[in-house]
Amino acid sequence: MTNLKIAVQKSGRLSEDSLTLLKECGISLNVGKDQLIAQASNFQLEVLYLRNSDIPQYVRDGIADIAIIGDNTEKEKKTGIVPVLDLGFSRCRLSIAVPRAVEFKDLSYLQGKKIATSYPNTLKDFLTEHAIEAEIHEISGSVEIAPNIGLSDAICDVVSTGSTLVKNGLKEVYKIFESQAILAANPNLETEKKDILDQLVFRIKAVLASKNSKYILLNTPEKVLDEVCALLPGMKSPTIMPLRQKGWVSVHSVVQENEFWEVIGKLKAVGAEGILIIPIEKMIL
């Protein structure tokens, strides 16, 4: 039986989120302590736990077929693997940061400066794009300490909350790009493995759709039903069911997470009552 091999980060937040996603897709893994390979018991999938920076090349070389990685990693490695799906978690940004005391007005500050980074290729492309000549110091880890020990005038690093910058006396001054976890694949997958990948993508899309939506049930007078339905288009249109009390109906629909509170307020304003919000475990579009 052919298995699809997926590479995930062997430790850290991205690893945890990746394994949680696979679990939510109904995939059970036989995982032991310090295990570097795990076989799914109910899906044609084999998980390889690898160092994050090595994953793109492993996929490009065909050791792994697909991977869950930050797109910032692939942009840096430039291995040519194919993005398949944005996953929406492990969001961060690659940014320029300088000491808090520095008066940074624009990118011209970087001209002739020393910049420390773990992303030398990305930084080089950025500097070239903006016609800036600067000295790049490649550092593996703990980039934030570079200005404090006199190694650099600025840094280029991944920023999530920004708390690490603050702790090291730095401030974020320019965002190069935003990043998130993606599902990526070898561009030369054989047909059988493409079919398995399609099944996995189908499951992932159902999980991601459910995370961004809530199921809503409410009661409303029939006389304002048109106004209520206008606020709740749902996936196609709301489900309407009559209540025992004459002149009232029950409305069932779906609302987007980012519109939730605004919609609830408008529903209350037009006369909706007994509003219930229920999490959606999976949503097949």
Side-chain angles (χ1 to χ4, degrees):
M1 180 183 294
T2 299
N3 284 326
L4 188 70
K5 296 181 179 180
I6 181 171
V8 301
Q9 189 180 54
K10 65 181 179 180
S11 61
R13 179 64 182 273
L14 181 55
S15 174
E16 295 172 5
D17 290 342
S18 300
L19 295 178
T20 296
L21 176 62
L22 294 178
K23 183 178 180 181
E24 291 173 336
C25 287
I27 297 172
S28 299
L29 297 173
N30 300 315
V31 182
K33 185 178 180 181
D34 298 326
Q35 195 170 333
L36 298 180
I37 301 177
Q39 174 67 51
S41 60
N42 59 350
F43 193 80
Q44 291 172 257
L45 191 73
E46 189 174 321
V47 179
L48 309 180
Y49 299 95
L50 303 171
R51 192 171 65 175
N52 188 61
S53 59
D54 293 336
I55 288 177
Q57 193 60 50
Y58 272 87
V59 176
R60 185 66 184 88
D61 292 344
I63 306 301
D65 302 306
I66 62 173
I68 296 178
I69 57 171
D71 61 355
N72 59 297
T73 302
E74 170 52 24
K75 286 178 180 177
E76 171 64 22
K77 297 298 181 179
K78 298 181 181 180
T79 55
I81 62 177
V82 180
V84 176
L85 189 64
D86 290 342
L87 301 179
F89 56 80
S90 294
R91 292 185 180 275
C92 59
R93 54 198 180 273
L94 188 71
S95 295
I96 300 292
V98 300
R100 276 201 299 264
V102 168
E103 185 179 351
F104 183 95
K105 294 182 178 180
D106 53 43
L107 290 175
S108 63
Y109 168 81
L110 300 177
Q111 190 69 36
K113 298 295 195 300
K114 294 181 289 185
I115 309 173
T117 187
S118 297
Y119 295 85
N121 295 325
T122 306
L123 177 58
K124 181 180 178 181
D125 290 346
F126 171 76
L127 295 175
T128 300
E129 178 185 351
H130 293 276
I132 296 171
E133 293 186 7
E135 185 178 340
I136 298 175
H137 284 263
E138 184 176 355
I139 296 178
S140 179
S142 301
V143 176
E144 296 85 358
I145 69 170
N148 290 330
I149 61 176
L151 183 63
S152 71
D153 303 293
I155 68 168
C156 171
D157 200 21
V158 168
V159 179
S160 181
T161 64
S163 60
T164 303
L165 295 180
V166 173
K167 290 177 183 177
N168 286 274
L170 303 175
K171 61 182 179 181
E172 185 179 2
V173 294
Y174 192 92
K175 179 176 68 178
I176 297 176
F177 63 74
E178 293 186 344
S179 175
Q180 64 175 302
I182 60 170
L183 182 68
N186 181 292
N188 302 309
L189 285 183
E190 58 192 62
T191 301
E192 190 171 359
K193 290 189 174 183
K194 284 182 180 178
D195 292 340
I196 301 171
L197 175 58
D198 288 342
Q199 296 175 43
L200 178 61
V201 169
F202 173 79
R203 294 191 184 196
I204 292 176
K205 285 183 176 179
V207 171
L208 296 181
S210 70
K211 290 180 181 297
N212 296 324
S213 304
K214 300 292 183 184
Y215 192 74
I216 183 170
L217 301 86
L218 58 91
N219 299 328
T220 185
E222 284 186 289
K223 63 183 180 182
V224 297
L225 183 56
D226 288 343
E227 294 175 74
V228 169
C229 288
L231 295 169
L232 292 172
M235 297 173 69
K236 286 190 181 295
S237 64
T239 299
I240 313 297
M241 293 184 288
L243 295 180
R244 185 173 182 181
Q245 183 176 346
K246 188 176 180 180
W248 283 77
V249 295
S250 175
V251 180
H252 297 211
S253 190
V254 173
V255 293
Q256 295 298 305
E257 181 77 35
N258 59 354
E259 300 172 351
F260 173 76
W261 288 111
E262 181 181 355
V263 170
I264 296 301
K266 290 179 179 179
L267 289 170
K268 290 284 290 180
V270 299
E273 298 180 3
I275 301 172
L276 299 179
I277 307 299
I278 302 173
I280 300 173
E281 184 174 338
K282 306 287 186 298
M283 191 163 78
I284 312 302
L285 300 174

